[in-house]
Amino acid sequence: WSDKDYDHGRRHFLFFSGGGSVHKGLDLLLEAFVDTNLHLHICQHMEPMFKRVYKAELTAYPNIHVHGHLTMRSAAFENLAEQCNWVISATCAEGQSGAVLECMAYGLIPILPANANIDLGEHGVLLPACTIDIIRSVVQSNAEMAVGECRRRSLITREIVKKEHSPEHFENSFRSAVMQIASARESKQPGVVPR
């Protein structure tokens, strides 16, 4: 990542998502990106009806790039992640997107609404509302972010995912939760002395 071109990446945004194009806000993103000089890279299996309705946006604009389904950690995915500085979603509700976290592990700076349920800290960018005008304003202003600041946020993003969303962190958190439940249950049984 020391060779990543963060200057080039400022204008490249990755939408990497599972199914549900409208639920994930792809319709809003398409409308926000058309007629801009910013690039939206789409990695998703889109529903046929969605592709019909948004055919013009998906095919007629040189800054909208449809990559289809890409496997996480594949060479094609890694090349795309290196080209982009940002991962973006305009989801209306999310438990916590594994796809977005995967992109963050590659240092892509998240641009997300609160509905994505991912802590953005000071490294990410909050979408205050998922409207076309606000999305366009947020992506345009962040595309102007200083290269050094992009790099700094990217490195912080990678570290946060490594510490807070790794399999080891999940295992430790899960083990701790099970121990707390077992301890609480044990303390409620008659004749058992709490530890």
Side-chain angles (χ1 to χ4, degrees), residues 24-188:
K24 306 292 174 121
L26 181 56
D27 54 331
L28 302 170
L29 295 175
L30 285 169
E31 293 185 39
F33 274 81
V34 295
D35 296 327
T36 72
N37 65 346
L38 306 176
H39 296 267
L40 178 63
H41 297 270
I42 302 166
C43 294
Q44 183 192 44
H45 175 75
M46 291 175 269
E47 301 85 1
M49 177 69 78
F50 184 86
K51 288 199 279 192
R52 278 196 301 274
V53 171
Y54 284 94
K55 182 179 180 182
E57 289 83 354
L58 293 168
T59 60
Y61 292 87
N63 64 320
I64 307 291
H65 311 278
V66 179
H67 301 275
H69 172 76
L70 288 184
T71 304
M72 290 182 192
R73 302 178 200 126
S74 67
F77 174 78
E78 290 179 355
N79 288 336
L80 190 54
E82 190 171 342
Q83 187 177 348
C84 301
N85 280 10
W86 316 95
V87 59
I88 188 166
S89 176
T91 184
C92 65
E94 200 79 47
Q96 205 174 56
S97 171
V100 169
L101 291 172
E102 184 74 22
C103 293
M104 290 170 61
Y106 281 86
L108 298 185
I109 304 161
I111 300 178
L112 305 168
N115 295 337
N117 287 305
I118 292 178
D119 183 12
L120 298 173
E122 294 182 20
H123 61 285
V125 177
L126 178 67
L127 269 178
C130 291
T131 66
I132 295 162
D133 290 340
I134 288 176
I135 293 168
R136 185 178 293 127
S137 172
V138 167
V139 296
Q140 286 176 329
S141 65
N142 282 283
E144 300 299 320
M145 185 179 287
V147 172
E149 180 64 8
C150 289
R151 186 182 202 336
R152 184 187 77 79
R153 287 181 184 225
S154 173
L155 296 175
I156 291 170
T157 298
R158 287 180 63 214
E159 283 305 309
I160 286 172
V161 171
K162 188 175 174 182
K163 288 178 185 173
E164 298 177 11
H165 299 284
S166 68
E168 296 79 18
H169 179 76
F170 173 79
E171 183 180 335
N172 291 337
S173 295
F174 191 79
R175 180 179 288 118
S176 175
V178 169
M179 297 295 285
Q180 287 177 353
I181 292 167
S183 177
R185 184 174 167 89
E186 192 175 88
S187 68
K188 291 181 181 178

